[in-house]
Amino acid sequence: MSRSGVVLREVRPEDAPDLVRLWEEVVPRASAEQMLVDMELVVDQSLASARDRIVVAECDGRLAGAVYLRVGPMSPLHVEPVVQAVSPHVLPEFRRHGVGRALMDAAVAHAEEKGIGHVASASLSASREAHRFLARLALAPQAVLRVAPTQVVRAKLSSRRPARSQTGGRPALGQVLAARRSQRRQRDLV
């Protein structure tokens, strides 16, 4: 397959099932029917939006990859606009054929068309190949996004909250000694 066989186009509603398969690693886990309904909503919203766009790459008439382009502020505190290339992804059978490069070229062209000076992208933390691809395109790490369920963070915050004494804001000596004794007992049992 040659690189010239990559054709880019705007997403169409009938692409939703293929996009579910393409982005299955990043869409919320649900039933197949719910994932399809959610993706149809995402496609419809992008088509109706003035700032969002999904670009689909095809090879030989088959969906090979896609990227979700969004114009927005770099962050809530850094309001300079940026084109966010969200989830640029290529199906495994089409990798190393120029599809990813074509998708990122679409992001750059979109930024140039809108007069925006920066392009940002992200990849799954475990995707070493994607990180290397983005680095080769001069996209440097800007931040690390960490995500956890709210109740898990609440539990961790609550368990890490030290007991405070009435004076001085430090844990009471009795509590410190009791914690040490408990740890020693656990260590002796092992």
Side-chain angles (χ1 to χ4, degrees):
M1 182 181 314
S2 71
R3 292 177 192 268
S4 62
V6 178
V7 177
L8 298 179
R9 63 172 174 78
E10 188 166 7
V11 72
R12 296 188 291 244
E14 60 269 18
D15 293 324
D18 289 330
L19 292 175
V20 168
R21 185 170 73 101
L22 177 74
W23 284 328
E24 68 185 344
E25 295 174 326
V26 295
V27 295
R29 297 281 182 239
S31 68
E33 297 81 22
Q34 187 59 51
M35 289 168 59
L36 180 57
V37 167
D38 291 348
M39 189 57 66
E40 288 169 343
L41 180 63
V42 168
V43 168
D44 289 346
Q45 288 175 340
S46 76
L47 290 171
S49 174
R51 67 181 198 148
D52 293 358
R53 180 176 177 207
I54 298 175
V55 176
V56 170
E58 289 183 335
C59 287
D60 299 327
R62 293 177 35 214
L63 186 131
V67 63
Y68 193 111
L69 302 177
R70 168 172 277 175
V71 175
M74 198 168 290
S75 81
L77 302 176
H78 188 175
V79 297
E80 179 182 355
V82 64
V83 170
Q84 300 167 354
V86 179
S87 294
H89 199 76
V90 178
L91 289 170
E93 61 267 28
F94 295 104
R95 291 187 182 149
R96 303 207 181 283
H97 295 287
V99 177
R101 191 169 283 277
L103 291 170
M104 291 306 293
D105 187 66
V108 171
H110 191 60
E112 290 170 341
E113 176 185 308
K114 302 268 186 201
I116 295 174
H118 289 89
V119 174
S121 189
S123 56
L124 293 174
S125 61
S127 181
R128 183 177 178 185
E129 187 177 341
H131 289 290
R132 293 175 79 192
F133 171 74
L134 293 173
R136 282 193 305 272
L137 295 178
L139 286 123
Q142 187 71 23
V144 175
L145 177 66
R146 296 180 181 265
V147 179
T150 303
Q151 67 248 36
V152 172
V153 177
R154 170 57 60 213
K156 292 290 185 180
L157 287 169
S158 297
S159 71
R160 303 252 183 219
R161 191 175 296 150
R164 302 285 178 196
S165 67
Q166 297 285 343
T167 60
R170 288 199 219 157
L173 180 59
Q175 291 172 325
V176 170
L177 294 174
R180 286 182 185 165
R181 280 192 301 270
S182 175
Q183 288 173 347
R184 201 173 315 131
R185 272 188 238 116
Q186 289 175 354
R187 204 174 33 240
D188 292 342
L189 289 174
V190 176

